Amino acid sequence: MSVADPLPVAQQVLGVEATDTQTEALRVAEFAKYKPTYHWDSTQEIELAGSTWRVLASAEIEDAEDTHFLDVVGMWTLSAETIIPPVDHTQILDPSSTEAQYPGNTDDSCNWNHSSVGETVVEISRVRRVLVPKRKGKDPLLTEDVVVNRLGSRIYARFIPVVANSADIPFYYPQVREYAFGYIEPEDKGHAASTLVILARELSPGSAVATKKQQMIWKDLIKRLYKWTVTERFGYQKRVEHDVMVDYETYTAKYQDLKAKYAAFWVDNWPEQTDPRKFVYEDIAIASWIICMWQQDSNNLRPSFVDLGCGNGLLVHLLTAEGYVGYGVDQCSRKVWTHYGQAVDLRAQTLEPYEYVADVDWIIGNHADELVPWIPVIAARSKAKFVLIPCCPHDFSGRKMTFPVVAGQSKYHAYSTYICELAERCGFGVEKEYLRIPSTKNLAIVGRRRVAEVSQTDIDTMIQAGKQDFVPRVPDSVKNEVRLAKVQARKQQDNDKSSL
């Protein structure tokens, strides 16, 4: 296919990057059946191994087997950070090491046996691990035993902090002697549903549910346990790989750094109507990843940039505050722009992408809507690099694109493939990274290396083809003015009628 040929819409099944829509529909249907029971007000207790355990939450789950539950427990054992966000990573201790052999808990109830429980006990696994917090200079490490026991038709995965006293339990860990996830098969074999439970040995009566924070912890854990077990039942296959271009440790360190500098202020002082908790943390995450990528790409030199379709401008502010020189462009200014200060260069203007050339090292398009397909072309014309996070599908004309829905394909990935093909036609070697941001539109498409020679004539041909159909978006401010004029006109008509 020559460069000047019209780009076909991506219609192929997208392999490992695609969402299996049929399986996803089944998972969503099972998620809809989630009906947990919380035991905050009416205390429900059971005796296990001579100790009193409080039942905190439970949920019935259909057609799940013990292997699905055990698979989830296994994943959570290796990666505590999956369910305890303040944890950075998990260290599994070698069973033969001195630290792993240290007895830690001397409480006899930590070791279940036949005589204490009253029924046959099978220890499935026992692991000692160390939870390493994200705030390494502020929060302590925590050593913890994870013991999985089978008692007849029940399985309990127990999480036991290895501490000298309760005061040593860090803030990020449940304030309990130990807690457990349970899988209980129905006594009536004709009843299809098993039960998932969360139990705790409390530090003192009622302490495990004394605060709203504690209750939120248990609500979150039972929901995760249910959803992960359902997902295992349907044979989850990881669709994407994170940390391909930037390793996890480097990214996390930068994210924690920027979060500590900027998050609290902007969450508390966000002047827009939008939810600051979404936009602030998402843009901090994106800025962290871009900075890490730039540092490895530029040998710690600070490249210049432009953010096309910059919206609220927070990403431009963060990059500028970190010492990068650049500017943002959007059709309309935002209220928050005036809060960033004069050092942040934000420009309200309507771009004609077929005319635009950027004198910068990098072009950024973070959910830039109708500018997204143009950015690889602009980058090629400007001899710049680019990073794109696509959102809503638009073609060169600025109109919304539609894709045929087939099994195993999502519209988002079809559009992302369309943009990748376009970037390759512009001569870029395309790299992709699924970012750790609170958005389902989290794919970053990067063009930082030219792998094919593309003549300026070919680029101009693509530009001219797009120019013929391109219709710039009507700015929101103009839409609001039109809407307000219509409202005022109707009011005037009503007043005229009432005066007759």
Side-chain angles (χ1 to χ4, degrees):
M1 175 169 53
S2 69
V3 177
D5 290 336
L7 187 68
V9 174
Q11 297 181 3
Q12 71 275 19
V13 175
L14 300 177
V16 295
E17 291 182 1
T19 300
D20 184 335
T21 53
Q22 294 175 329
T23 301
E24 192 68 11
L26 293 173
R27 284 206 314 156
V28 170
E30 287 300 312
F31 290 168
K33 298 178 183 179
Y34 175 64
K35 292 181 172 57
T37 300
Y38 305 119
H39 304 279
W40 313 142
D41 300 323
S42 58
T43 303
Q44 183 173 337
E45 297 177 339
I46 61 173
E47 292 293 320
L48 289 173
S51 298
T52 300
W53 289 72
R54 179 164 179 174
V55 181
L56 301 173
S58 60
E60 287 194 345
I61 183 169
E62 295 181 359
D63 299 323
E65 300 179 0
D66 56 4
T67 55
H68 304 142
F69 172 79
L70 289 171
D71 286 344
V72 174
V73 169
M75 288 186 286
W76 289 359
T77 299
L78 296 176
S79 302
E81 60 272 19
T82 302
I83 58 172
I84 308 177
V87 172
D88 180 70
H89 64 277
T90 307
Q91 295 178 351
I92 304 298
L93 300 180
D94 185 337
S96 62
S97 68
T98 303
E99 188 176 5
Q101 294 298 316
Y102 176 69
N105 286 297
T106 57
D107 189 342
D108 288 339
S109 62
C110 291
N111 298 303
W112 291 0
N113 53 55
H114 174 75
S115 58
S116 62
V117 179
E119 57 184 308
T120 301
V121 178
V122 176
E123 185 172 293
I124 298 174
S125 64
R126 177 182 290 264
V127 172
R128 177 159 289 190
R129 64 183 187 176
V130 176
L131 309 185
V132 181
K134 291 177 179 176
R135 304 192 307 176
K136 297 178 177 62
K138 296 183 178 181
D139 301 324
L141 305 176
L142 177 66
T143 301
E144 181 191 42
D145 286 333
V146 182
V147 184
V148 182
N149 295 113
R150 182 188 292 276
L151 287 73
S153 61
R154 297 172 290 164
I155 299 175
Y156 295 104
R158 303 162 53 218
F159 298 81
I160 311 164
V162 181
V163 293
N165 56 69
S166 60
D168 296 330
I169 300 175
F171 88 94
Y172 57 80
Y173 193 86
Q175 302 299 298
V176 294
R177 294 178 185 272
E178 61 176 301
Y179 68 95
F181 300 131
Y183 169 85
I184 303 172
E185 293 180 349
E187 294 182 4
D188 179 4
K189 297 302 182 181
H191 184 58
S194 299
T195 304
L196 301 174
V197 297
I198 295 182
L199 318 170
R201 289 180 61 216
E202 298 180 291
L203 294 171
S204 59
S207 62
V209 295
T211 66
K212 288 185 178 179
K213 179 181 177 181
Q214 291 291 315
Q215 292 178 16
M216 289 300 295
I217 290 173
W218 306 123
K219 284 182 178 180
D220 180 65
L221 287 176
I222 190 67
K223 186 174 183 179
R224 286 175 184 251
L225 182 61
Y226 180 92
K227 286 193 169 185
W228 281 58
T229 305
V230 166
T231 301
E232 281 301 304
R233 173 190 152 199
F234 284 107
Y236 174 73
Q237 296 293 324
K238 190 172 182 180
R239 299 192 303 268
V240 301
E241 291 292 336
H242 295 284
D243 316 314
V244 175
M245 297 177 62
V246 176
D247 68 84
Y248 176 76
E249 290 74 17
T250 301
Y251 162 76
T252 302
K254 178 57 67 176
Y255 175 75
Q256 292 299 322
D257 176 38
L258 299 194
K259 178 183 172 183
K261 288 181 181 178
Y262 307 111
F265 175 82
W266 286 111
V267 168
D268 293 340
N269 296 279
W270 192 247
E272 303 287 350
Q273 295 299 314
T274 51
D275 183 0
R277 291 169 297 180
K278 178 188 186 302
F279 289 99
V280 170
Y281 290 109
E282 181 172 320
D283 280 3
I284 287 175
I286 293 171
S288 302
W289 183 83
I290 288 176
I291 289 172
C292 292
M293 190 254 299
W294 282 351
Q295 286 176 340
Q296 65 177 226
D297 183 69
S298 307
N299 296 320
N300 290 323
L301 298 177
R302 295 182 184 274
S304 58
F305 70 93
V306 59
D307 183 0
L308 300 182
C310 65
N312 60 45
L314 181 58
L315 181 58
V316 178
H317 165 66
L318 294 170
L319 295 175
T320 301
E322 289 299 302
Y324 294 87
V325 177
Y327 62 98
V329 180
D330 203 280
Q331 273 193 322
C332 301
S333 63
R334 306 295 197 275
K335 186 187 300 183
V336 70
W337 284 18
T338 60
H339 294 247
Y340 294 138
Q342 295 182 350
V344 181
D345 186 355
L346 297 170
R347 308 174 187 181
Q349 65 184 85
T350 297
L351 286 182
E352 294 180 339
Y354 44 83
E355 300 286 353
Y356 186 76
V357 178
D359 185 19
V360 295
D361 299 311
W362 281 83
I363 299 174
I364 300 171
N366 176 22
H367 294 184
D369 293 338
E370 68 271 16
L371 293 178
V372 166
W374 282 97
I375 287 178
V377 179
I378 295 172
R381 189 181 195 184
S382 305
K383 296 180 170 45
K385 304 174 183 181
F386 73 86
V387 54
L388 274 173
I389 305 173
C391 185
C392 302
H394 293 267
D395 60 18
F396 276 117
S397 72
R399 300 185 186 92
K400 289 286 186 72
M401 298 181 70
T402 58
F403 295 89
V405 178
V406 298
Q409 175 181 301
S410 70
K411 294 180 181 179
Y412 180 67
H413 284 90
Y415 182 56
S416 300
T417 298
Y418 168 80
I419 298 301
C420 290
E421 291 175 353
L422 176 56
E424 289 171 351
R425 290 181 61 206
C426 291
F428 289 99
V430 174
E431 298 174 86
K432 294 182 289 185
E433 177 81 280
Y434 288 87
L435 304 182
R436 297 179 178 274
I437 60 176
S439 172
T440 56
K441 308 296 191 297
N442 64 338
L443 175 63
I445 300 172
V446 179
R448 56 178 172 173
R449 296 181 179 87
R450 303 297 291 271
V451 297
E453 289 296 328
V454 180
S455 70
Q456 190 62 47
T457 300
D458 289 335
I459 296 296
D460 290 340
T461 301
M462 296 174 66
I463 291 172
Q464 289 303 316
K467 178 179 178 179
Q468 295 175 3
D469 297 325
F470 182 75
V471 178
R473 177 197 291 184
V474 177
D476 292 339
S477 59
V478 175
K479 290 180 181 178
N480 291 334
E481 290 175 2
V482 172
R483 190 180 302 112
L484 181 60
K486 289 181 178 179
V487 171
Q488 292 174 339
R490 283 196 296 269
K491 286 183 177 179
Q492 186 62 46
Q493 290 175 355
D494 292 341
N495 291 337
D496 293 343
K497 290 178 181 179
S498 62
S499 63
L500 294 177

